[in-house]
C-alpha cells in the first residue's frame, strides 16, 4: 500500500502571522481526517521556523517551496537546503512549473538542487507537467518523460525511495480547469511505467500526487484512481477547511 499524501503549496501567500494561524487550523482539524493521510504544508521560507513550532509532534510535516542549487556562500538572496533542514523541515518542492517558467529553472539546475536536498535529508517533491500547447499537440507523455529522465534518472535507488512526484499540468494550475480523473490516471500510470523502467519494482511504492485546481469537490474522484496517491494543492490549501476536506476525500 502506497502512502496517501495531501500537500499544500502556499506559494507566495500569507504573512507569517496568517501562516501560523493557517497551520494551527490544520493541526486543530487533523483529528477529523483518517490518520492514514499524511499532510504536508509548504509555507514561504519566512514562515518555516514559526510553522515548525506549531506542527512539531502533530504528525503534520513541513516542506519548503524551493532551495538553493549551491551548498553555501556568496549567493545573495538564496536559501540553502542545510538552512531549511536545520529547522526540522522534511520536504522541499523542486521543479514547480512556476519556477521553471518564471525563474528559468532547467534540468541542470534541478539536478544540483536535488543533490543539495538529499545531502541534507530533505525529501524532494519533484514536479512535472506539460503546458497547454504541449497537451494539445499530444506531447504530454514525452514532456513528462524528459522531465523525469533528465533529473530523476540521476538518483540512486536509495534517493529514489524518498522521492515524491507531483504531476501538475500547467494548464490546470490556478485556472479552475482540472485534468479529468481519467486524464490524471492515464499519465500517472505512464509516469510510474517510466519510473519502473529505471528503478524496477521500487516504482510501485512511489507516491505520485496530482496538482492543478484540486479542491474538495473534485478530489474524491481524482483520488479514487489507482495511481493517484494524493494531491499537491495550491489555492485550496490556503483555506484550512478545504485542505482538510481534500484529506477526507480518500475512499481507498
Ligand atoms: P492550484 O491548486 O492553485 O491550481 O495550484 C496547484 C499547484 O501549483 C500546487 O503546486
Amino acid at each position: 500500500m502506497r502512502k496517501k499524501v495531501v500537500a499544500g503549496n502556499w506559494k507566495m501567500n500569507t504573512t507569517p502571522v496568517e501562516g501560523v494561524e493557517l497551520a494551527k487550523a490544520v493541526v486543530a482539524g487533523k483529528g477529523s481526517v483518517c490518520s492514514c493521510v499524511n499532510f504536508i504544508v509548504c509555507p514561504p521560507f519566512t514562515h518555516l521556523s514559526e510553522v515548525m513550532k506549531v506542527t512539531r509532534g502533530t504528525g503534520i510535516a513541513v516542506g519548503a517551496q524551493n532551495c538553493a542549487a549551491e551548498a553555501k556562500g556568496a549567493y545573495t538572496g538564496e536559501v540553502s537546503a542545510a538552512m531549511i533542514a536545520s529547522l526540522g523541515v522534511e520536504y522541499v518542492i523542486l521543479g514547480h512549473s512556476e519556477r521553471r517558467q518564471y525563474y528559468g529553472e532547467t534540468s541542470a539546475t534541478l539536478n544540483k538542487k536535488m543533490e543539495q536536498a538529499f545531502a541534507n535529508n530533505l525529501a524532494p517533491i519533484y514536479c512535472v507537467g506539460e503546458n497547454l500547447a504541449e497537451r494539445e499537440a499530444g506531447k504530454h507523455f514525452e514532456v513528462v518523460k524528459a522531465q523525469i529522465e533528465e533529473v530523476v534518472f540521476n538518483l540512486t535507488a536509495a534517493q529514489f525511495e524518498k522521492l515524491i512526484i507531483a504531476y501538475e499540468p500547467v494548464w490546470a494550475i490556478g485556472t479552475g480547469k482540472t485534468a479529468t480523473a481519467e486524464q490524471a490516471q492515464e499519465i500517472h500510470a505512464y509516469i510510474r511505467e517510466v519510473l519502473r523502467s529505471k528503478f524496477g519494482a521500487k516504482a510501485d511504492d512511489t507516491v505520485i500526487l496530482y496538482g492543478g485546481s484540486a479542491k474538495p469537490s473534485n478530489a474524491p474522484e481524482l483520488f479514487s484512481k489507482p495511481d493517484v496517491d494524493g494531491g499537491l494543492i495550491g489555492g485550496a490549501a490556503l483555506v484550512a477547511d478545504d485542505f482538510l476536506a481534500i484529506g477526507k476525500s480518500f475512499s481507498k
Side-chain angles (χ1 to χ4, degrees):
M1 266 295 267
R2 279 189 293 275
K3 281 205 298 192
K4 306 177 202 313
V5 174
V6 176
N9 175 8
W10 297 1
K11 306 192 181 183
M12 198 171 72
N13 292 296
T14 72
T15 63
V17 168
E18 289 163 351
V20 163
E21 289 311 307
L22 177 54
K24 280 184 182 164
V26 173
V27 167
K30 184 182 178 277
S32 65
V33 185
C34 173
S35 59
C36 59
V37 177
N38 297 275
F39 283 110
I40 305 171
V41 292
C42 304
F45 290 134
T46 44
H47 309 22
L48 288 172
S49 182
E50 289 301 313
V51 167
M52 277 305 305
K53 289 182 192 160
V54 173
T55 56
R56 195 169 275 125
T58 65
I60 289 172
V62 176
Q65 297 173 19
N66 182 28
C67 73
E70 313 294 338
K72 62 191 282 194
Y75 300 100
T76 302
E78 290 292 283
V79 177
S80 74
M83 294 170 188
I84 296 164
S86 72
L87 301 174
V89 170
E90 293 174 72
Y91 294 91
V92 61
I93 298 172
L94 291 180
H96 192 282
S97 62
E98 289 150 15
R99 305 269 345 148
R100 294 180 192 261
Q101 195 181 338
Y102 307 137
Y103 302 98
E105 287 196 358
T106 61
S107 294
T109 326
L110 290 166
N111 280 318
K112 293 173 81 176
K113 293 189 175 194
M114 282 276 186
E115 197 180 306
Q116 287 304 316
F118 282 114
N120 290 284
N121 276 322
L122 292 173
I125 302 173
Y126 179 65
C127 304
V128 298
E130 80 286 354
N131 63 31
L132 185 60
E134 290 160 344
R135 165 66 65 166
E136 285 175 344
K139 291 191 171 155
H140 41 296
F141 294 110
E142 63 185 86
V143 168
V144 299
K145 186 171 189 235
Q147 289 168 335
I148 290 170
E149 281 179 347
E150 290 168 14
V151 178
V152 178
F153 278 21
N154 297 326
L155 302 181
T156 64
Q159 290 172 332
F160 175 68
E161 280 176 15
K162 301 194 181 109
L163 185 76
I164 293 179
I165 302 252
Y167 168 67
E168 301 206 311
V170 177
W171 47 271
I173 296 176
T175 59
K177 263 196 204 172
T178 323
T180 64
E182 288 68 31
Q183 284 172 324
Q185 169 56 26
E186 180 185 42
I187 199 148
H188 280 225
Y190 174 75
I191 289 168
R192 200 177 302 287
E193 194 183 299
V194 172
L195 297 173
R196 205 178 281 124
S197 73
K198 172 76 179 175
F199 296 101
K202 281 189 194 301
D204 294 330
D205 298 326
T206 306
V207 171
I208 306 179
L209 306 178
Y210 168 79
S213 300
K215 45 186 182 264
S217 59
N218 57 28
E221 203 190 342
L222 286 161
F223 294 178
S224 73
K225 297 295 178 189
D227 287 291
V228 180
D229 305 312
L232 180 55
I233 318 299
L238 297 172
V239 180
D241 285 347
D242 286 352
F243 187 59
L244 292 161
I246 290 171
K248 291 175 193 159
S249 302
F250 286 100
S251 59
K252 53 186 179 180

